[in-house]
Amino acid sequence: MRDINERLNYLIQSVPAKVKQYSEQEFSVRIEGRWSKKEILGHLCDSATNNHHRFIKIQFEKQPFVIVPYDQNNWVMIQDYQNMSLDEIISLWTVLNRHILRIISRIPEEKLGYMCDIGDNKSMTLFELVQDYLRHLEHHLKQIFGTSEL
């Protein structure tokens, strides 16, 4: 978990500075008819919101905890990230991820093995879910910034 915490902390420190290197216009261009960089960053806020609850509930609710999916496209559309200021989105992303870091750094070792049902007859541990959160975050940050190191 220490590696995950360190990596997430690093991203929380470096991503806002990296975002400031771009203009609002650059972040607003839709990529191949899909989400713009602003919308991808907004999607990462939605992911943080959903996983924030999951990381807590898995520790205290009946095992295996059932992960309820969310319609990511509608979340992005309804929240209108495209028309929010980039500063507002990155501020939200930063606060949410600081909070997630606080939560995951306090998960007791014995709870990391708690199981959650992710659907399609698949399950994963809380530790694996935290790892997947970071993997998902990094995947989308690469979409935003390319392959350059973060």
Side-chain angles (χ1 to χ4, degrees), residues 93-150:
W93 179 88
T94 303
V95 168
L96 289 169
N97 278 284
R98 276 193 197 126
H99 194 61
I100 289 217
L101 180 59
R102 184 177 299 109
I103 292 165
I104 66 174
S105 67
R106 297 177 48 84
I107 299 172
E109 184 79 29
E110 66 273 8
K111 292 187 177 185
L112 291 172
Y114 281 15
M115 298 303 295
C116 52
D117 177 344
I118 60 171
D120 295 329
N121 292 320
K122 296 178 185 172
S123 60
M124 61 175 40
T125 65
L126 175 53
F127 178 71
E128 291 168 328
L129 191 65
V130 172
Q131 285 179 311
D132 189 60
Y133 175 76
L134 182 60
R135 181 205 55 76
H136 175 258
L137 175 60
E138 290 182 320
H139 164 77
H140 285 301
L141 290 175
K142 285 179 183 169
Q143 285 182 314
I144 292 172
F145 300 115
T147 58
S148 63
E149 280 296 310
L150 281 173

Side-chain angles (χ1 to χ4, degrees), residues 4 22 49 63 69 74 91 128 142:
I4 292 171
Y22 295 84
T49 300
Q63 300 295 303
N74 278 328
S91 293
E128 291 168 328
K142 285 179 183 169

Side-chain angles (χ1 to χ4, degrees), residues 52-67:
H52 154 250
H53 291 268
R54 292 170 180 169
F55 295 156
I56 293 171
K57 288 180 176 184
I58 290 167
Q59 296 182 63
F60 302 103
E61 294 189 11
K62 180 183 171 198
Q63 300 295 303
F65 176 77
V66 177
I67 299 286

Side-chain angles (χ1 to χ4, degrees), residues 32-49:
E32 298 172 10
R34 297 186 180 170
W35 290 339
S36 67
K37 292 178 180 185
K38 284 171 71 174
E39 289 171 315
I40 294 170
L41 197 54
H43 165 66
L44 290 175
C45 292
D46 297 341
S47 174
T49 300

